[in-house]
Amino acid sequence: QVHLVESGGGSVQAGGSLRLKCEVSGYSGSSTCFGWLRQVPGKERELVSTFSTFDRSSDYEDTVKGRFIVDRDDAKNTVSLQMNNLRPEDTAMYYCAAKFTRTCTILLGPRPFNHLGKGTQVTVSS
């Protein structure tokens, strides 16, 4: 059973940066798609970034391209999301997620991810 724990959320002003970290345990080493999802109350969860352990590719939702960077540290078994030039519309609860699959692009969408952490809140003020 994969266990995911997020950290690094907080409050920043627009234009600022945050780095979210997801600590992964119970990982078997199978080809995995790690995703970062976000959700605002009253709205559906959306997938903003993916990282594939199969080919180490990453993908991003259009509104975060060029601002967010996802990476994985195999030695520490973490997946991080560097968020730069944050905007008020980035305010959301951010979740780390995983699915054992080689298919790993933003087109996957949020629903296939069957392992989620509890989330970390990101608040961006204008």
Side-chain angles (χ1 to χ4, degrees), residues 9-55:
S11 297
V12 296
Q13 289 192 325
S17 298
L18 284 173
R19 185 173 179 85
L20 306 184
K21 185 172 71 173
C22 175
E23 296 184 45
V24 183
S25 59
Y27 176 60
S28 66
S30 301
S31 294
T32 302
C33 181
F34 287 103
W36 283 98
L37 286 65
R38 68 185 180 188
Q39 188 170 26
V40 175
K43 292 190 176 181
E44 289 203 3
R45 199 169 285 168
E46 64 173 339
L47 178 63
V48 296
S49 180
T50 60
F51 182 90
S52 170
T53 66
F54 174 63
D55 60 8

Side-chain angles (χ1 to χ4, degrees), residues 87-101:
R87 304 168 180 170
E89 54 265 37
D90 294 319
T91 295
M93 183 70 80
Y94 283 73
Y95 299 89
C96 178
K99 178 174 175 59
F100 297 130
T101 179

Side-chain angles (χ1 to χ4, degrees), residues 32-37 46-53 55-61 64 68-72 79-81 95 97-99 101-110 112-113:
T32 302
C33 181
F34 287 103
W36 283 98
L37 286 65
E46 64 173 339
L47 178 63
V48 296
S49 180
T50 60
F51 182 90
S52 170
T53 66
D55 60 8
R56 304 195 75 79
S57 63
S58 57
D59 200 9
Y60 302 92
E61 191 266 332
V64 308
F68 290 11
I69 302 170
V70 62
D71 61 75
R72 170 160 169 80
V79 181
S80 297
L81 185 68
Y95 299 89
K99 178 174 175 59
T101 179
R102 292 186 176 183
T103 302
C104 191
T105 71
I106 210 69
L107 295 176
L108 197 60
F113 289 92

